[in-house]
Every structure is written in C-alpha cells, then in structure tokens.
Amino acid sequence: MSDLTDLLARAEAISSDAERVTRAHLRKVALPSVEGHSAGVMGLITLDNGEDHTKPNTFGPRSLLELNAAIDAALADDEITSIGVTGKPFILAAGADLTSVAGGGPDAVRVVAELGHAVFRKLGEPGGKTSFGFINGLALGGGLEVALHCHYRTVMDSAPAIGLPEVMLGLVPGWGGAFLVPNLVGPDAAVTVLLENPLNNGRTLGGEAAYEIGLADAVFSGADFLEESLRWAAAVLCREIVVDRPAVDRGATWDAAVERGRGIVQARTGGASPAALAALQLVDAARDHDRDAGFAREDDALEAMSRTPELLASLYAFDLVQKRAKRPAGAPDRSLARPVTKVGIVGAGLMASQLALLFVRRLEVPVVLTDLDQERADKGVAYVHAEIDKLLAKGRIGPDKANRHKGLVTGTTDKATHFADADFVIEAVFEEMKIKKSVFADVEAVVSPECVLATNTSSLSITEMAADLEHPERVVGFHFFNPVAVMPLLEIVKGEQTDDATLATAFATGKALKKTTILVQDSPSFIVNRLLGRFMGEVGRIVDEGTPVPVVDGAFAGVAPMPPFVLLSLVGPAIALHNNETLHAAYPDRFYVSPALERVVAARKASYYGPDGSIDPEVEAMLETPAAPVVLDAAEVRTRVLTALADEARRMLDEGVVAAAEDLDLAMITGAGFAFWNGGLTMLLEREGLGSFH
C-alpha cells in the first residue's frame, strides 16, 4: 500500500476531465433521541453525480478524492459523532468508472485500487467514528463495497440490483469486497455473491435478498427509507438495538465453500477466466481475517487482471452494452417515429401473454390480446393479471398501478372492432409462413394504413411475410427472446420494403420497452438464431459422427453460457430443429439437420437429459453409432465448432446482415448470454486466431 499523500497526488495526476464526477455532499443531521438518550449528530454523505437515474453514480479518481475529502471533514468535525453514506434517489453507486480503468493501463488500475481501499477503509477503521451504509437502491461493485466498509448497513427492500459483478467483467472485487464479504456473511454466501451470480449472466440480489444473506443488518421500505434508517442508526448508537452477527466458521465450512466455488468456476468458465480463478483464490485466502493482507491481495489481483486480454475484451463488451446499445447503428432519425397509444397482439399463448405484460408495464397503454376463441383470449389476460399480482405481492408495484395495468389488458376474438384504433400490432402465432401471412392479411383489413405490423418471428423472412399486403412498408421484425421479461435483446428486422417511419417507431417502442435494440437486415434467422443454428448444427453433426454428448457438452465451458445440449433442452428440441431446418433450406451446404434430433423431436422428448442429469436412455438409443465413428476430444470439438462460427460471422458481415462485428457481439451477449470477458463472440474468435473482424 502506497503512502496516502503520494497516492492522492498520483490519483490527481491520472484523473481525467472525461470522468463524470460523483460529488460527496456532507451535511449534519441531528439523530432522533432514543428513550431520552441523545444519539448525537451524524455526518451524512450523499453521493450524487448530478444526473438522473439513467446515469448512476460511479467512482473514478476524482470521485474518490471527493469522497475522501468528505470523510476527512466528517472525522475532523468534533460535533459529528457518527458517519452515514447514502446515494441520490434509488442509487447508491454502480461501482468503478471503467473509462478510467480502460484508459490508464495497469499503473492507473493500481492507483485506483489502492486509492479505493485507502478512502473506503476510513469508514470502518477500529477506533474511528461509528459508520452506517444506507443502501437506498442500486449498489454494484464499489457501490456495495463503500457500504461494506461501514460498521452497519441498512437496505431498501425494493433495491433492484445489489452485488459484486466484477468477475463477469474480467475483474475482481478490488475495494474490499473479496475480503469483507466472506468475513461478514461466510464463505459460502461469498461464493454466491462473488462467483455464482456474476457467472450466471450477471445475476444480482434485490434488497430483501441482500438482507437475508447478511449483507445488511436491517431492511426498510422505499417510501421513508432514509428516515427509518436514521432512526435505526440512532437506536444502534444508543444501544437500544444490538446487531448480532453469527461467527464465521473458518475450518471445514470454508473448505467446502471454496470447493463449491471451484466447481462453479470450472462449469461456467472451463478455467478460461483468469478473473474467476483469482476471485476464488481471494475468497480462499480471506479466511486469515487479516484486513491489510486481504486488501493488498486485492490490489495485486486487480493489477494482474488489468494485464489480461480478457479485461480488454470485457471493457469492449461493457462499452457495447453501455453505449452502442443506446445508439443503435443504422436506426432512422427518432423524429420519424409515430406515437403508440394502443397495442394489439395476435395470439394469447405464453409468448403473446409475456408480450402483453411487457407492453402494458412499460408503455402503460391499452393492450388487446386476440385469439381464435374467447376462452384462449381470457386465459392470456388471466396470465397477465396473475403476473401483475405477483409483482404487487413482492412490493415491486403499488395497488393503484397494479389495478391500472390490469384494467389496460383485455382479450377478444373481434379484431375488427378492437384493432381499428391500434397504432402497433404484433403477431405471436405459430412459426409458419402461411399462417403469419394470413394473420397479417386479416389485420391489415381492419387497422389504419399507418399502424405498424410487427412480427415476433424468430427465423422467417419479413419481406416474404409482407409481400401480399397493400402496405408492405409498415411490416417489421420485432424478435424478442424468451423469457421476454428477462432477456434484454430485441432484434429489429428490416424487410426490403420496410420504410423509415416504421423502423423509427419500432426502435422508439423498443427503447420504451427498455430493450437493447439492434437493426438487422432481413435474412434467415437474423443474428442470434443464425449463429446458434450454425453452432447447434455443428455439435449435432459431431455427435452423429460418434463423439459422445458429454464430451461435446464439456467442450464449451467459458464459451457459451451453458452446454449446447443443455441449451437445447431450454430452447426446446422442436424449436431448435425448426430453426435449423429453416437455415438448411437457405444454406444447405453449411447448416446441418441432425437425424438424431429429428428422432428426438418425433418422440416428443423435451431434453437429451433425464431428471438425474444423465443422458436419457431412450434418447441415447436414438443416437445411432456410425459404422466408422469419429470420436473427437473436447479441444477438437471446441476448435471445429468455433471455426464454423468464425466462418458464419464473416459471411454475415460480408452480407451486411448487421452494420459491424460490434452488433454480432452485442447480440450474442444480450440475446444468448455470451460472456463479457470473451468480448461476446468475435473478440474470442480473434483471440483464438480464427479470423479478423474489427
């Protein structure tokens, strides 16, 4: 650890005007008395970068210097007896300002790592003033770590995202998290927070879950969160409330947790993520309960991660999700977008019902589900109402909003009456061209000429679907990924005649739905399903040639978010087969349709695996061994499949399916869960020497 004076000077030297500085506003708050006893005056530090909720607080060098000055001022003020840290409305902080990490290289990373430790630890040093972290909303990475350094923590019950996602980004928690979390909540919970959740597509904890796991000592509702937190802090200071934390087992329990973490790292990354391995080592070493040593290990690990290609790939991926996703390449001028005041949905099955829930929650306009009979339409509406009731029960929405949203969703068989004033109609019916063309012909007859006709097709031609309509220019692909509420990606597909007003409306609607939108030119299966089709076709061919399914499934840890035949179970064998048949019809030389998969679908099998996790014996019997089997090892499987993906990615770019390789990567990250630390897909392919895409 460097001398603090020297560290502050070095931080000032590497700071940049590009940093969006998070100010640390210190004010004195007289705490309420408890049973006649004074709790004194708290120095309450509020973190605020002056922006709205779409631009959360972050910590770069200047922000850390701001916080350091505020903490020093609170420590030096004799009137202040305790310190609290909270954030602007609904946001504590989202962690490090990664632009400072990207631009300064390993030396800057080292400075920022040491400075974060030096500043944050002032909040929790023995003998200092009692400190409280008031987690009033989103708290990720350093946002959570600043609270962890405090002696006590409260959390808002509705806080949407609390966690340490660094491993997903090719980093490690570098401001105390890797040491403090296992010593606070135990090693097993630490493995969940530091490894399992980040490697599970960046999963985070809500406020209640963070309290239950032990990251916070008390939980309060959002309406008067800060007021209740101050009252609670006063009670703690007056010893009316005593926080009792269970002792942490540093023996066999710690060993078991580390072993569990090792299994997670191997299953999720195949050992290919330096950050995951480093984070596990930090958790293992934290059992020594030596704070200085723990923080020094974090500094060393963070600097080491800054020298890996995985960090560069992660920063590239992070930039895609944070910036390119907000300004989709090729999208028309926003001023061309038409307002959407009513939505029609053709179909009332599960996908259609999920769409209805999303539209009504995000757009808050009338949504009409239609189907062949009233019973099906009513079932779709009932699904939406039940999901809204679940949100109400969890406190995610209030009674008034729940009732309003329910009232906006209706079901009918009468398109002519209920679609007449719709501005946006989307179909979610069976994936067959004849059916979809018939649906659009029916809808066009009853809607206005300006009404957008959107299709949720996952593979069929938008151009062909629109060809027989009077107004083909208002047909657009609007392809969601399942589950609709969770998956961020929305592929917006331009048919040959789709006009700019329709596209602009589609992009504006996608943004209002809070989805990551990417413009795609009309081509079979678009982006994600085309790449996954090549992927699944190749692994199917390898299995049909004689390589066992477990060998194939074990070849992609660290590449795909899950083994290919596990993914097949999630997608559904019939859907995967349909996608590959569509692609095979378009490109028969490259897309393979597995006879074994056809047999599995014909037998109505939902998975290659049985309930116990082993290959279903009936499915295994369908995997006919060829006369001259070709058995590959995992490395050979990986190389062969990645080579095929590199070929397909290059073809898609040459065909102009998307504007650039960045869009392929953004799609695979947000639509297929490919890892940040691989840079999606093309950065990984380049690192493997399988092509040049940038």
Side-chain angles (χ1 to χ4, degrees), residues 229-534:
S229 293
L230 291 172
R231 262 200 289 269
W232 182 85
V236 170
L237 291 167
C238 293
R239 293 182 170 78
E240 180 73 16
I241 291 176
V242 176
V243 174
D244 183 27
R245 298 185 183 125
V248 174
D249 183 346
R250 302 182 186 280
T253 298
W254 208 292
D255 291 333
V258 171
E259 193 58 34
R260 184 173 81 87
R262 189 169 289 113
I264 291 168
V265 170
Q266 182 59 36
R268 289 286 183 177
T269 76
S273 167
L277 294 169
L280 182 62
Q281 291 165 357
L282 289 172
V283 171
D284 191 13
R287 78 171 81 199
D288 66 11
H289 207 206
D290 184 329
R291 183 177 298 233
D292 290 340
F295 291 175
R297 286 190 295 261
E298 290 180 352
D299 292 337
D300 291 342
L302 202 58
E303 181 183 354
M305 292 307 99
S306 72
R307 300 179 187 277
T308 65
E310 285 80 7
L311 178 60
L312 294 177
S314 294
L315 293 173
Y316 160 81
F318 185 80
D319 191 66
L320 293 181
V321 171
Q322 292 297 309
K323 295 180 181 178
R324 192 176 184 90
K326 293 177 173 60
R327 294 184 291 274
D333 190 282
R334 296 174 188 173
S335 65
L336 297 174
R338 302 188 187 105
V340 173
T341 61
K342 184 176 183 180
V343 174
I345 300 177
V346 183
L350 180 58
M351 175 57 79
S353 300
Q354 289 184 76
L355 294 179
L357 178 66
L358 179 68
F359 276 97
V360 77
R361 289 196 65 210
R362 299 300 188 209
L363 302 188
E364 296 192 313
V365 300
V367 176
V368 181
L369 287 158
T370 66
D371 215 313
L372 298 174
D373 57 62
Q374 192 63 43
E375 183 180 356
R376 294 183 192 183
D378 290 344
K379 186 176 179 182
V381 173
Y383 170 89
V384 177
H385 285 191
E387 292 300 307
I388 291 172
D389 284 338
K390 290 177 186 177
L391 294 169
L392 177 62
K394 293 176 181 177
R396 297 277 299 278
I397 58 175
D400 289 346
K401 181 170 282 191
N403 289 333
R404 185 166 71 252
H405 287 179
K406 284 183 181 180
L408 288 170
V409 182
T410 55
T412 183
T413 60
D414 181 8
K415 296 187 187 74
T417 301
H418 292 88
F419 280 8
D421 56 345
D423 306 298
F424 192 101
V425 173
I426 183 168
E427 66 77 21
V429 300
F430 190 69
E431 191 76 347
E432 185 176 306
M433 182 61 75
K434 183 178 179 181
I435 295 175
K436 291 184 184 289
K437 292 185 79 163
S438 174
V439 162
F440 274 161
D442 291 345
V443 171
E444 186 176 50
V446 300
V447 298
S448 71
E450 291 78 28
C451 177
V452 170
L453 301 185
T455 170
N456 188 45
T457 181
S458 60
S459 60
L460 301 179
S461 169
I462 309 303
T463 302
E464 183 181 350
M465 207 177 294
D468 300 332
L469 297 177
E470 184 178 348
H471 292 285
E473 71 278 359
R474 41 90 170 270
V475 177
V476 65
F478 213 63
H479 178 220
F480 292 89
F481 289 77
N482 203 12
V484 170
V486 175
M487 299 302 289
L489 181 61
L490 174 59
E491 294 178 336
I492 294 183
V493 189
K494 183 182 187 299
E496 288 181 8
Q497 297 191 63
T498 307
D499 64 19
D500 283 351
T502 297
L503 273 183
T505 305
F507 275 102
T509 304
K511 182 178 181 181
L513 295 174
K514 298 186 178 181
K515 293 299 181 182
T516 296
T517 52
I518 299 176
L519 178 62
V520 190
Q521 299 302 315
D522 192 14
S523 58
S525 295
F526 318 131
I527 307 174
V528 173
N529 284 344
R530 178 164 167 181
L531 287 168
L532 288 181
R534 187 76 188 269

Side-chain angles (χ1 to χ4, degrees), residues 115-139:
L115 181 61
H117 278 129
V119 173
F120 288 2
R121 71 182 299 167
K122 290 181 180 182
L123 293 166
E125 293 287 22
K129 294 181 179 180
T130 303
S131 58
F132 296 84
F134 301 137
I135 305 172
N136 65 313
L138 179 145

Side-chain angles (χ1 to χ4, degrees), residues 18-23 47-59 63 87-96 138 318 322-323 326-327 334 511:
E19 179 183 344
R20 183 184 289 119
V21 179
T22 296
R23 306 294 179 187
L47 304 173
D48 191 344
N49 62 5
E51 304 281 357
D52 64 20
H53 69 281
T54 64
K55 297 180 177 65
N57 301 326
T58 54
F59 293 116
S63 302
K88 67 182 184 181
F90 310 112
I91 293 173
L92 182 52
L138 179 145
F318 185 80
Q322 292 297 309
K323 295 180 181 178
K326 293 177 173 60
R327 294 184 291 274
R334 296 174 188 173
K511 182 178 181 181

